[in-house]
Amino acid sequence: MSDAPFPASAPRLSDRLLILSVFVVASCGLAYELIAGALSSYLLGDSVLQFSSIIGCYLFAMGVGSHLSKYVDDRDVLARFIDIELLVGLLGGVSATLLFLLFAWLSVPFRTVLYALVFLIGVLVGMEIPLVMRVLHARQAPFSELVSRVLTFDYLGALAVSLLFPLVLAPQLGLSRTAFLFGMTNVAVALWTLWHFRLQVPDLRGRLLRGLVLLCLLAGGLAYAERLTRWAEQGLFGDEILYATTTPYQRIVVTRWKDDTRLHINGNLQFSSRDEHRYHEALVHPALQRLPHARSVLVLGGGDGLAVREILKHPQVEQVVLVDLDPEMTGLFSRNTELAALNGGALTDSRVTVINADAGQWLEAGSEVFDLIIADFPDPSSFGLGKLYSVPLYRLMGRHLSERGMLVVQSTSPWFAPLSFWCIDATLREAGFHTHPYHAHVPSFGEWGFNLATRHPGYAPPEHYSVPTRYLDRETTRLMFQFPPDMGRREVEPNHLNSQRLVHYFQQDWNRVVR
Amino acid sequence: MRRRSFLAATGSGSLALTLPGCLDRASLARRGIPIRVLRPGMAEGHTLRDRTALPDAREEIHTGVAILGSGIAGLTAAWRLAQAEHPDFLLINGPEPDGNAAGGQLDGIPHPRGAHYLPLPSRESTVVREILAEQGILESDPAGERPRYREDCLVHAPAERLLFAGEWREGLLPTDHVTPGEATQHRRFLATMAQLGGRRGQDGRRVFAVPRTASSTDPAWQALDRQTFAAWLRAEDYTAPSLLAWLDYICRDEYGAGPTQVSAWFGLHYFASRNGQATNAEEGAVLTWPDGLAPLARGLRARIPAHCQRAGTALTVEENGADVRILVTTPDGPLRIRARRVICATPLHVTARLLDLRRHGCDPSQHLPLQAPWLVANFLLDGFPVETGDTPLAWDNVIHGSPGLGWVVATHQWIRAARPARTVFTTYRTLASQPAREARAWLATASADTLFDLAVSDLHQAYGVWEMWRRTQAVEITVRGHGMAAAAPGTLTNPGLAALQAADGTILFAHSDLSGYSVFEEAAHWGDRAAHKVLSGTA
């Protein structure tokens, strides 16, 4: 029996297949739109804006696609439909992962690529429905029936995804894998259309091969998407990401490689668990060993609690106040068991008070007096940060210091940034302190420097330590306070607020190092 | 937050509905931003001008000296009397306490509503140095060549930048970015100004000094006051467009009017008079605070006993035999003050409505200084706008050739571990391109939206409409119809001003208007002079 005299109201199998592909194609189209919107809200924030602009761009692009569809020659309609499906599958499938990678590596052209990608997918998806309609029309389907059926399934497909995406796909699979899944679905539509109409499509083998390769590629993507996004960040940090978060103040990433846990803030290494004891012992003990009567200690910055861990080794200390801006940071190092293990639970110790406030503002507002102040601020790489190393701020710290108290300042590297290091020393002296510069070798940082400042002369480095130390001993300490000629004192100006010499020195120093 | 909740409440639907009616960029740019407009003293001033019926005062009090107005002149006079333990005076605050030195707050961030900086005072500015020393801002050697100033009050680096030829550059004069011919003119001008700065007249005084009455009275120099600054520049063959644009900016910033309206003497005075030095600051440094000069006004006020200050606005001042009767409206109702002497520390256009100035040798129809209208607008921003290029945001940010005067950053002087999550940008603008009277008439009725468009233009040019719209949480615009005296030619020989300066009867005058231009130093000088007249009279 021939299939020619089928009544129009009972569509043939090929037509049903095409209608089904409309459903699938519509689902995929909406999925890419939702993925792009969700991804950009997630990465850029301001979700109303991101969703509106993505949807706007996408719908407009679909209009452009519909318009362009008229330029497809009637004879090529089916072949073009299959090609477009393959292309949509590829672009849509890799879209989320591509954008993730791009954001991790280069943040600048991110928006350009985002909108270009959304536009491109929109154009292709916009061509799909008109092409399907033309295929059906060419197959003599009555127009009213055709329009009604195609659009019904178009909207049904959209409904399906709009429910599936937020309830199942995004939470279960994540954005990257969802995109790959829909990409595969698009390619599957292309392949089964291709197979069904194999007699009418030119270059069957070539298209079949491309489709299958794409399907494998996307399946691989689906399997490895999770790892790919991790690689994206590992590309930045080198190691496995243990924890990553973006707070209003900074991007915090904790990585691990074997037994080495590292903290990065805005991409800058803060510590490596392998050698951080060198840094923190050097930061704390030369001062605190010489303050047997120290009752209270103030730590500015240092939300990782590692300096506090060292301070708490000294039994005479009754109170430690840690002022760090970011509650995420101090929360992470109080609650996360792995990270709190690094500081020995220092931040939850009963002697410790954590204050999440801006150190500058806190110093201005308060009047508490401490026996030791440790200023562990980020390096003076901007005019804002440079003020934390200025004469007035050191004078202000001086007002929070007891008569025999000491101030220790993280002072950048005397090897890489000698002008900056000695500028901090000169600034402390300008603020009326006696300074005792020293340095320690921290392998993951290189040679690092500190300034110990006192109101009165007479400080001498400790001869021994009454607390357990892994790095410091008498000989190490003696060498720490000696500067070989290639790290010797430089003649530099102190850092005043109205000149901000330190920021200029810091730029000079690092321009010299990084060629 | 208000803008966000507005958007959430109205939703995109109503946005779409209202779109066709307001498709111009300007109205989209301010959509949903709450704008508050302040017109300090305007209603009170217009009541005086329109001479509506005067209220009847039931309460009458007596005082030795009544000081009307609590701008810097009134505050300085009261501060000086309090310092000399003069027992009996009363400071009537007027409609805007602190006057042009007033400040405000947006979301807890202090910001200026008027003047925002003070140049390092030169040696002649003894009163200013004394005020600064008393407030602990000048730390040592108040009479010396180079005193030491509190470092956190000196403007922090980076102080200034200029948007010139599409890029931000350090400093405000783009000498390094213009043709060699123009650069030569820049250098010639600066060299001439440096030379004038050290120059003394036949009488041994500096040719240009602050206060300006301390300047040399040599006729040759004073003759410069007969021409405009623009005419002088032409005569001296200064033609470089980049130099002229900079000088135009300077004149509008300092006098509220361009070089074609400002006297040549005053044009030069700006550059040649300010030679204040400091041991701990570079030449040309300035003192500034987050809320402009408001902390100085607060410092003065803190030293004036509270019972000697009273809210209220004077309506009339009448000489009556041995004393003066002043009618004042106060929050508690009308009040009559009988004083032995009165210091009118009000702007002269107001003083002219309080009493008949002609009896004091000043004809208001001829002698009142021209007053330039100003807009001071504060933008509360959620995060700092995205900068382009490598020159970071400075305290003072100016766009070369713009009709606006750029903006200052209210949080610039803060010392913080992290950039504040919110900040306030203060834009300044004079309406120098149209006659002051017309501009004032327009300002008096201009809608908040129109004022916003005027105030935001520099920020739009620098950051784009979209970036500003998404950052701006609230805007406060202060309209100052009589912002400052415009230092027009003829000011030095203005007989009306000279008469009021010399007045030593029961009625005394103290205001920067007496100098013909509006700066803290002149206001403090005249406040101090008036107080001394009182003190020597009672001694």
Side-chain angles (χ1 to χ4, degrees):
Chain A
M1 202 170 116
S2 106
D3 58 350
F6 262 97
S9 55
R12 290 165 298 182
L13 175 66
S14 356
D15 290 358
R16 270 195 233 145
L17 189 72
L18 281 171
I19 293 292
L20 186 66
S21 47
V22 166
F23 178 84
V24 175
V25 157
S27 326
C28 295
L30 189 74
Y32 301 137
E33 186 179 335
L34 291 174
I35 287 167
L39 186 78
S40 56
S41 314
Y42 170 67
L43 292 176
L44 303 174
D46 204 347
S47 57
V48 173
L49 164 71
Q50 305 306 345
F51 264 101
S52 314
S53 49
I54 295 283
I55 290 174
C57 175
Y58 193 80
L59 288 180
F60 171 67
M62 281 177 69
V64 173
S66 304
H67 175 78
L68 291 179
S69 69
K70 77 171 177 188
Y71 297 108
V72 175
D73 195 291
D74 276 334
R75 284 160 299 181
D76 301 338
V77 172
L78 202 55
R80 280 300 98 78
F81 174 72
I82 289 163
D83 292 345
I84 285 169
E85 283 309 294
L86 290 176
L87 205 53
V88 171
L90 173 67
L91 287 177
V94 303
S95 61
T97 307
L98 180 74
L99 289 169
F100 264 130
L101 291 170
L102 204 78
F103 190 78
W105 289 102
L106 315 147
S107 59
V108 184
F110 176 76
R111 276 166 209 263
T112 318
V113 178
L114 170 72
Y115 286 103
L117 200 60
V118 166
F119 190 82
L120 216 59
I121 295 174
V123 168
L124 295 173
V125 171
M127 293 177 79
E128 286 171 341
I129 301 295
L131 290 183
V132 173
M133 284 168 111
R134 281 171 62 186
V135 173
L136 288 167
H137 191 56
R139 297 169 64 82
Q140 325 283 298
F143 188 69
S144 58
E145 183 71 26
L146 182 159
V147 171
S148 133
R149 198 166 298 176
V150 167
L151 291 184
T152 305
F153 279 87
D154 184 15
Y155 293 129
L156 276 178
L159 175 71
V161 164
S162 68
L163 295 175
L164 267 179
F165 180 76
L167 298 178
V168 182
L169 297 171
Q172 296 297 324
L173 289 180
L175 296 178
S176 292
R177 284 197 282 178
T178 305
F180 279 118
L181 188 70
F182 279 101
M184 288 171 69
T185 320
N186 267 123
V187 174
V189 168
L191 285 175
W192 96 49
T193 314
L194 187 63
W195 188 247
H196 192 82
F197 296 98
R198 57 190 174 276
L199 300 177
Q200 298 164 42
V201 182
D203 188 17
L204 177 71
R205 275 159 186 278
R207 288 201 163 84
L208 210 57
L209 191 68
R210 263 175 272 160
L212 288 171
V213 168
L214 260 182
L215 201 61
C216 294
L217 226 98
L218 292 171
L222 179 67
Y224 288 100
E226 210 64 345
R227 262 184 230 185
L228 268 173
T229 40
R230 277 183 172 258
W231 282 346
E233 283 203 313
Q234 280 171 33
L236 295 175
F237 300 108
D239 299 330
E240 182 198 342
I241 311 274
L242 207 62
Y243 186 90
T245 182
T246 304
T247 77
Y249 306 103
Q250 52 205 351
R251 171 102 178 133
I252 300 172
V253 175
V254 181
T255 65
R256 186 169 54 192
W257 185 72
K258 295 190 178 166
D259 62 341
D260 183 11
T261 307
R262 292 179 172 222
L263 169 71
H264 305 257
I265 290 180
N266 300 334
N268 297 317
L269 178 65
Q270 302 299 301
F271 71 76
S272 151
S273 65
R274 284 209 170 159
D275 59 15
E276 58 79 14
H277 65 278
R278 286 190 163 208
Y279 180 90
H280 293 103
E281 285 183 8
L283 183 67
V284 169
H285 300 309
L288 209 44
Q289 183 62 36
R290 284 287 182 211
L291 291 167
H293 303 293
R295 295 280 169 269
S296 57
V297 181
L298 172 66
V299 182
L300 302 167
D304 53 32
L306 299 171
V308 177
R309 176 196 65 203
E310 295 301 318
I311 294 164
L312 292 176
K313 287 181 180 173
H314 293 261
Q316 75 269 30
V317 174
E318 292 168 358
Q319 187 208 8
V320 182
V321 175
L322 172 76
V323 180
D324 190 286
L325 189 62
D326 197 343
E328 283 271 355
M329 178 79 178
T330 51
L332 189 63
F333 280 86
S334 318
R335 286 190 299 270
N336 182 302
T337 39
E338 269 176 278
L339 296 176
L342 291 176
N343 62 37
L347 296 186
T348 47
D349 190 285
S350 61
R351 286 174 285 172
V352 177
T353 311
V354 176
I355 295 171
N356 291 119
D358 191 289
Q361 197 172 15
W362 191 84
L363 288 170
E364 275 169 25
S367 58
E368 270 184 89
V369 171
F370 298 88
D371 300 312
L372 171 63
I373 298 179
I374 290 176
D376 194 6
F377 290 128
D379 289 342
S381 55
S382 71
F383 285 107
L385 289 169
K387 292 186 185 190
L388 301 175
Y389 297 81
S390 65
V391 174
L393 202 78
Y394 289 147
R395 290 218 173 100
L396 181 60
M397 288 182 191
R399 289 205 282 282
H400 288 273
L401 207 56
S402 62
E403 189 56 31
R404 294 279 156 192
M406 293 182 192
L407 167 64
V408 179
V409 179
Q410 182 286 106
S411 304
T412 82
S413 168
W415 172 256
F416 295 112
L419 298 176
S420 314
F421 178 82
W422 292 109
C423 173
I424 296 169
D425 172 78
T427 308
L428 282 162
R429 283 188 285 130
E430 177 81 2
F433 289 102
H434 297 268
T435 58
H436 309 275
Y438 61 100
H439 59 97
H441 187 74
V442 185
S444 58
F445 285 5
E447 204 62 37
W448 213 257
F450 309 87
N451 269 288
L452 192 155
T454 55
R455 278 188 214 281
H456 303 286
Y459 170 84
E463 303 273 323
H464 78 283
Y465 291 93
S466 55
V467 297
T469 53
R470 291 165 63 195
Y471 174 59
L472 294 183
D473 64 4
R474 182 194 166 130
E475 193 51 23
T476 319
T477 307
R478 193 180 63 76
L479 290 172
M480 279 198 326
F481 282 84
Q482 280 179 11
F483 280 82
D486 62 358
M487 290 202 301
R489 183 178 293 279
R490 306 288 184 99
E491 278 317 309
V492 284
E493 289 170 42
N495 187 40
H496 289 286
L497 290 175
N498 50 326
S499 63
Q500 295 249 32
R501 289 300 310 158
L502 179 58
V503 178
H504 296 288
Y505 286 139
F506 192 76
Q507 275 161 5
Q508 253 174 282
D509 282 333
W510 287 101
N511 284 343
R512 205 170 40 80
V513 176
V514 185
R515 279 176 206 279
Chain B
M1 285 317 280
R2 277 182 67 189
R3 201 192 76 221
R4 290 251 163 85
S5 51
F6 167 90
L7 275 181
T10 56
S12 51
S14 78
L15 203 68
L17 281 178
T18 49
L19 270 179
C22 54
L23 267 175
D24 62 302
R25 272 160 59 93
S27 71
L28 286 177
R30 55 179 181 255
R31 181 145 293 271
I33 299 173
I35 305 170
R36 181 171 169 232
V37 178
L38 307 176
R39 291 183 166 89
M42 188 178 89
E44 293 85 348
H46 289 178
T47 309
L48 281 180
R49 180 192 66 189
D50 302 338
R51 286 262 148 229
T52 46
L54 294 171
D56 216 12
R58 293 209 189 91
E59 193 193 346
E60 183 175 272
I61 57 169
H62 293 251
T63 184
V65 184
I67 302 169
L68 308 182
S70 68
I72 294 304
L75 286 171
T76 306
W79 161 77
R80 182 65 88 198
L81 292 181
Q83 188 190 48
E85 295 180 3
H86 190 278
D88 192 17
F89 72 90
L90 185 62
L91 174 68
I92 303 298
N93 274 337
E96 194 191 24
D98 304 348
N100 273 2
Q105 284 201 359
L106 280 168
D107 192 34
I109 301 171
H111 62 74
R113 278 187 184 145
H116 58 285
Y117 73 95
L118 182 66
L120 294 180
S122 56
R123 291 184 89 165
E124 295 94 350
S125 300
T126 50
V127 182
V128 176
R129 285 187 172 202
E130 192 184 338
I131 291 170
L132 294 175
E134 199 189 77
Q135 298 188 16
I137 296 153
L138 196 158
E139 292 178 324
S140 71
D141 198 16
E145 186 68 41
R146 301 166 73 85
R148 179 177 188 89
Y149 292 89
R150 241 179 78 171
E151 190 172 322
D152 54 345
C153 304
L154 291 164
V155 65
H156 302 176
E160 301 165 330
R161 63 172 186 168
L162 180 75
L163 185 60
F164 180 76
E167 264 184 70
W168 285 107
R169 337 237 176 201
E170 280 174 41
L172 295 182
L173 182 61
T175 306
D176 299 337
H177 311 284
V178 295
T179 61
E182 291 203 28
T184 309
Q185 286 196 24
H186 291 192
R187 283 189 274 273
R188 175 161 67 94
F189 181 83
L190 293 179
T192 309
M193 294 306 114
Q195 199 196 349
L196 284 178
R199 188 123 188 191
R200 286 178 187 273
Q202 306 256 315
D203 49 8
R205 295 158 141 203
R206 287 177 62 215
V207 171
F208 299 100
V210 181
R212 71 110 163 135
T213 47
S215 308
S216 166
T217 52
D218 283 4
W221 292 109
Q222 302 248 316
L224 285 167
D225 186 47
R226 288 202 290 270
Q227 58 179 322
T228 65
F229 192 33
W232 183 87
L233 289 167
R234 253 194 321 276
E236 296 290 319
D237 209 22
Y238 289 110
T239 52
S242 55
L243 178 72
L244 296 180
W246 176 63
L247 293 171
D248 183 69
Y249 159 78
I250 297 278
C251 281
R252 283 180 293 126
D253 197 43
E254 187 71 3
Y255 304 115
T260 53
Q261 293 155 287
V262 167
S263 147
W265 190 88
F266 280 95
L268 299 175
H269 180 267
Y270 170 82
F271 296 99
S273 63
R274 287 347 185 316
N275 66 347
Q277 316 260 319
T279 51
N280 60 334
E282 285 176 16
E283 199 117 339
V286 300
L287 297 161
T288 189
W289 293 264
D291 40 352
L293 298 183
L296 294 180
R298 274 200 297 279
L300 287 170
R301 204 179 273 283
R303 289 162 176 80
I304 303 165
H307 70 268
C308 295
Q309 306 180 34
R310 187 148 180 176
T313 304
L315 295 177
T316 57
V317 176
E318 286 169 45
E319 280 179 275
N320 186 359
D323 60 8
V324 194
R325 292 177 185 191
I326 307 148
L327 182 62
V328 175
T329 56
T330 75
D332 310 323
L335 170 72
R336 192 167 297 282
I337 300 173
R338 289 177 69 159
R340 283 192 301 284
R341 297 186 96 170
V342 57
I343 299 173
C344 292
T346 39
L348 290 185
H349 68 277
V350 172
T351 315
R353 305 286 180 180
L354 295 175
L355 51 92
D356 186 2
L357 277 182
R358 279 171 301 191
R359 292 177 56 188
H360 299 271
C362 174
D363 179 357
S365 65
Q366 299 178 39
H367 298 146
L368 292 193
L370 186 76
Q371 292 282 339
W374 277 78
L375 283 185
V376 183
N378 283 285
F379 293 78
L380 173 66
L381 305 179
D382 189 15
F384 287 73
V386 176
E387 295 286 343
T388 49
D390 297 331
T391 311
L393 182 68
W395 168 65
D396 192 10
N397 305 272
V398 176
I399 298 178
H400 188 81
S402 160
L405 294 168
W407 65 94
V408 292
V409 178
T411 52
H412 181 83
Q413 296 291 98
W414 290 15
I415 301 176
R416 294 290 180 267
R419 247 186 168 191
R422 287 176 162 206
T423 185
V424 171
F425 284 7
T426 311
T427 67
Y428 288 85
R429 176 138 191 171
T430 64
L431 286 88
S433 60
Q434 50 182 321
R437 187 178 289 272
E438 272 175 39
R440 265 196 292 280
W442 180 81
L443 279 175
T445 54
S447 70
D449 289 351
T450 328
L451 295 174
F452 174 91
D453 294 345
L454 213 56
V456 80
S457 64
D458 277 356
L459 293 171
H460 277 173
Q461 196 181 331
Y463 298 116
V465 174
W466 166 246
E467 180 69 5
M468 282 314 296
W469 180 81
R470 96 191 170 94
R471 300 273 177 209
T472 308
Q473 302 291 307
V475 177
E476 183 205 272
I477 303 175
T478 305
V479 177
R480 298 187 176 279
H482 302 261
M484 54 166 60
T491 301
L492 295 187
T493 49
N494 182 328
L497 294 184
L500 298 182
Q501 290 170 6
D504 195 11
T506 45
I507 297 180
L508 302 168
F509 302 92
H511 195 275
S512 61
D513 280 358
L514 299 183
S515 297
Y517 73 113
S518 169
V519 292
F520 183 96
E521 299 93 311
E522 299 289 347
H525 169 73
W526 292 115
D528 175 67
R529 292 296 311 141
H532 276 297
K533 286 174 187 171
V534 168
L535 292 170
S536 60
T538 52

